[in-house]
Amino acid sequence: MHLAYPAVLAALLFSTGLYGVLARRNAILVLMSVELMLNAVNLNLVAFDVWLRDTLHAGQALTLFVIAIAAAEIGIGLAIVLMVYRNRGTSDIDRLRDTAEGPGGPDTPEGAGPEATDATPAQKAEATA
């Protein structure tokens, strides 16, 4: 078997995962795309390990570590997404960004620019009076 076949397949898998990370808005689909990218890396590790005929099988050993770390990452990531969904009612990444605090913090009025955050308390009291 030629090395080109698994390398092309891994490149296609990685590209599909990269597109999923960049284009999707659902947090669960982004996590699935990251897993797809990690699986493409695993395929490359095993293919190059077989092609180089490594006696220590370092590529396969590293693949086992990547699989273990990916399982832990998916477990923690899915728990975080589920908690965010319970608290906010959505797992849409754009809506989660919109609810984050702005640069001025919670006390900054809507539409106020950076000059509102640099004002002293006396200037703020004067502006509200």
Side-chain angles (χ1 to χ4, degrees):
M1 183 171 77
H2 296 287
L3 182 63
Y5 297 134
V8 168
L9 179 61
L12 289 174
L13 283 174
F14 193 86
S15 299
T16 305
L18 186 63
Y19 172 75
V21 167
L22 296 176
R24 298 293 178 183
R25 297 294 172 235
N26 190 346
I28 294 175
L29 292 178
V30 170
L31 286 174
M32 288 174 57
S33 297
V34 169
E35 285 294 318
L36 198 62
M37 292 168 64
L38 287 173
N39 285 331
V41 170
N42 287 339
L43 181 62
N44 267 336
L45 284 171
V46 171
F48 277 99
D49 183 57
V50 170
W51 183 65
L52 293 173
R53 293 189 174 104
D54 185 16
T55 57
L56 295 176
H57 301 294
Q60 294 177 21
L62 188 57
T63 298
L64 289 176
F65 284 115
V66 171
I67 289 172
I69 290 172
E73 173 255 335
I74 261 306
I76 292 172
L78 193 57
I80 290 170
V81 168
L82 287 175
M83 288 303 296
V84 167
Y85 182 77
R86 283 184 192 166
N87 290 334
R88 308 270 176 140
T90 183
S91 63
D92 187 16
I93 295 174
D94 286 338
R95 287 190 182 176
L96 295 177
R97 280 191 207 138
D98 293 341
T99 60
E101 290 181 4
D107 297 332
T108 305
E110 284 293 319
E115 63 275 0
T117 60
D118 295 337
T120 63
Q123 291 172 340
K124 287 181 184 178
E126 222 175 276
T128 58

